[in-house]
Amino acid sequence: MTKEFSPRHLDVKAFAQAGASLRGHESLLNYERLAQEAQGLHPDLLVDWQAQGALRTATGGEPQVWLQLQAQASFPMHCQRCMGSVDVPLQVERDFRFVADEATAEAQDDESEEDLLVLSRDFDLHALIEDELLMALPMVPMHDECPAPVQLSAGEAEFAQANTAKINPFAALAQLQQKPAAEPKSD
């Protein structure tokens, strides 16, 4: 009999010991924090993900609990260049090693290359997927090439006119240079 695993309440150690895997094909609307960042969200936008548990033995050590996560989605945002809508592809592929407690994670974090998480019998894989996709969001979303030419708010003519209209702050000095020097007074 195979054990059923729930992504919302995952016994991570049992999942890894079984070498089990989970996958999902869910609406982006199911990820509340991620949905708040979207522009023009609709039910057809999906998050595809899969998770694989494994026990890996470090050289001369005990087996360690690992979780490999892959997730991808197309995420609607505003292009910061043309301000139009752009679907940003999000892709996550990460391995996580689980440790016994927070103190162990904190102690090993600086010297560890992998991402460390605390072992739990009630781990929320769904929240981890959402966190990873949120961190994959670009700071400045843009089209590779905007669909319409980007119109600058001011053209070359406006720049030239603005430059000629400005008073030169050193104009007074230039006028002083042009006046002949006053002759010294005699006493």
Side-chain angles (χ1 to χ4, degrees), residues 8 25-35 41-43 45-47 49 126-127 130:
R8 297 240 186 216
H25 184 72
E26 306 170 318
S27 171
L28 195 58
L29 296 170
N30 293 342
Y31 296 86
E32 187 178 318
R33 291 177 294 141
L34 196 57
L41 191 61
H42 56 84
L45 293 170
L46 300 172
V47 174
W49 61 268
H126 189 269
E130 186 170 32

Side-chain angles (χ1 to χ4, degrees), residues 147-180:
V150 178
Q151 197 69 29
L152 295 177
S153 60
E156 288 181 27
E158 287 90 358
F159 280 119
Q161 183 181 10
N163 283 336
T164 58
K166 285 185 181 175
I167 298 174
N168 186 339
F170 298 104
L173 292 175
Q175 288 176 352
L176 288 175
Q177 252 182 345
Q178 293 173 357
K179 291 183 179 179

Side-chain angles (χ1 to χ4, degrees), residues 8-23:
R8 297 240 186 216
H9 304 283
L10 185 62
D11 181 343
V12 180
K13 187 173 184 179
F15 184 70
Q17 287 171 332
S21 64
L22 288 169
R23 58 181 63 238

Side-chain angles (χ1 to χ4, degrees), residues 76-154:
M77 299 183 86
H78 284 301
C79 173
Q80 296 301 301
R81 191 176 323 153
C82 71
M83 299 311 290
S85 182
V86 58
D87 287 335
V88 176
L90 301 179
Q91 184 117 10
V92 172
E93 189 166 333
R94 310 261 316 252
D95 287 354
F96 300 92
R97 180 168 60 93
F98 285 80
V99 294
D101 52 40
E102 285 290 337
T104 305
E106 194 173 304
Q108 294 180 10
D109 191 41
D110 289 339
E111 61 208 36
S112 177
E113 291 182 19
E114 61 269 356
D115 293 311
L116 301 176
L117 296 173
V118 177
L119 201 54
S120 171
R121 289 184 173 205
D122 193 29
F123 184 76
D124 190 349
L125 179 60
H126 189 269
L128 177 65
I129 294 166
E130 186 170 32
D131 288 344
E132 293 300 315
L133 289 172
L134 280 166
M135 287 190 288
L137 288 175
M139 293 294 285
V140 182
M142 286 190 285
H143 291 102
D144 290 335
E145 192 172 310
C146 292
V150 178
Q151 197 69 29
L152 295 177
S153 60

